[in-house]
């Protein structure tokens, strides 16, 4: 579920050696499954461990994850990097904002997951987003743009050269194309 590098494990063990005996680390997500999701790590005294928590054993310490955060921390990676600028603990959780779907989920769910986890974060830089509205019988994903993408002069390029290429590559043999059903109207919200 969570990978903690050797360097990070040594860092945590050193920090925990200065805490009361039995103290764990807690890895968590605040506002999981939303665009505002934030990941964190904190100390977790033994009396703060809940029955529903997942306890992961590492070298010299345990990491505790609350039940709500668990699905959003799948494939999370914690590292401790030292360079000429100093040391930094990094926590990468690619599923914090969007719950990972299973490999046997419907094509619609899997396509929406790729859009939510990889495409929408890029579109958000321009205030935009895209959603799958339906999948046709002939394998075409019907998409709806919103936010800054609605009325953007580059939406056709984004659709064909970005989104369609990525989705067709990911879902080769399952998806045959994408189509935009948005009625694009320029406005204050449009990205230029």
């Amino acid at each position: 579920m969570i990978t903690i590098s050797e360097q990070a494990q040594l860092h945590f063990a050193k920090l925990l050696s200065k805490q009361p005996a039995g103290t764990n680390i807690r890895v968590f997500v605040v506002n999981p499954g939303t665009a505002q999701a934030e990941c964190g790590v904190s100390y977790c005294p033994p009396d703060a461990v809940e029955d529903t928590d997942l306890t992961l054993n590492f070298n010299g310490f345990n990491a505790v994850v609350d039940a709500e955060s668990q699905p959003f921390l799948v494939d999370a990676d914690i590292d401790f990097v030292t360079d000429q600028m100093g040391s930094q603990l990094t926590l990468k959780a690619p599923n914090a904002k969007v719950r990972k779907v299973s490999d046997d989920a419907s094509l619609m769910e899997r396509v929406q997951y790729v859009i939510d986890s990889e495409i929408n974060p890029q579109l958000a830089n321009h205030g935009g987003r895209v959603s799958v509205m339906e999948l046709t019988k002939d394998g075409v994903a019907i998409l709806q743009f919103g936010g800054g993408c609605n009325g953007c002069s580059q939406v056709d390029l984004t659709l064909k050269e970005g989104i369609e290429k990525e989705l067709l590559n990911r879902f080769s043999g399952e998806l045959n194309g994408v189509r935009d059903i948005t009625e694009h109207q320029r406005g204050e919200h449009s990205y230029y």
Side-chain angles (χ1 to χ4, degrees):
M1 169 189 242
I2 298 174
T3 303
I4 301 180
S5 72
E6 280 189 49
Q7 295 83 0
Q9 288 184 49
L10 290 170
H11 177 70
F12 286 133
K14 182 179 174 185
L15 291 174
L16 290 168
S17 70
K18 299 172 185 166
Q19 298 299 311
T23 300
N24 306 293
I25 65 164
R26 179 172 290 282
V27 184
F28 57 91
V29 182
V30 177
N31 299 315
T34 70
Q36 295 78 33
E38 294 286 332
C39 298
V41 178
S42 65
Y43 292 120
C44 180
D47 61 349
V49 177
E50 303 287 332
D51 292 339
T52 57
D53 287 343
L54 173 66
T55 300
L56 305 169
N57 300 308
F58 288 96
N59 190 14
F61 67 95
N62 291 330
V64 179
V65 181
D66 65 275
E68 184 183 13
S69 295
Q70 288 173 26
F72 299 96
L73 289 170
V74 171
D75 299 330
D77 184 49
I78 301 175
D79 198 4
F80 186 71
V81 181
T82 303
D83 60 21
Q84 63 269 25
M85 301 298 285
S87 300
Q88 180 177 2
L89 187 67
T90 61
L91 195 163
K92 295 178 184 169
N95 299 301
K97 294 179 189 301
V98 181
R99 182 188 300 236
K100 186 172 184 175
V101 297
S102 65
D103 293 338
D104 62 350
S106 72
L107 179 59
M108 177 107 165
E109 290 174 300
R110 290 181 287 131
V111 170
Q112 188 64 56
Y113 171 75
V114 169
I115 286 173
D116 289 340
S117 63
E118 298 177 29
I119 294 170
N120 277 339
Q122 295 174 40
L123 296 177
N125 292 334
H126 301 214
R129 66 184 175 283
V130 68
S131 298
V132 181
M133 302 312 290
E134 70 174 289
L135 286 174
T136 66
K137 288 181 219 168
D138 56 342
V140 176
I142 307 299
L143 305 180
Q144 173 106 32
F145 285 90
C149 289
N150 187 354
C152 174
S153 61
Q154 297 297 311
V155 76
D156 290 335
L157 185 66
T158 299
L159 178 70
K160 290 296 182 186
E161 293 301 316
I163 297 170
E164 184 173 56
K165 279 187 175 180
E166 179 63 27
L167 293 178
L168 291 179
N169 182 47
R170 283 287 181 89
F171 300 103
S172 177
E174 294 181 271
L175 200 62
N176 298 316
V178 298
R179 189 168 67 230
D180 179 14
I181 62 164
T182 313
E183 291 187 30
H184 290 279
Q185 297 178 355
R186 291 203 192 280
E188 295 175 18
H189 63 278
S190 300
Y191 186 81
Y192 294 98

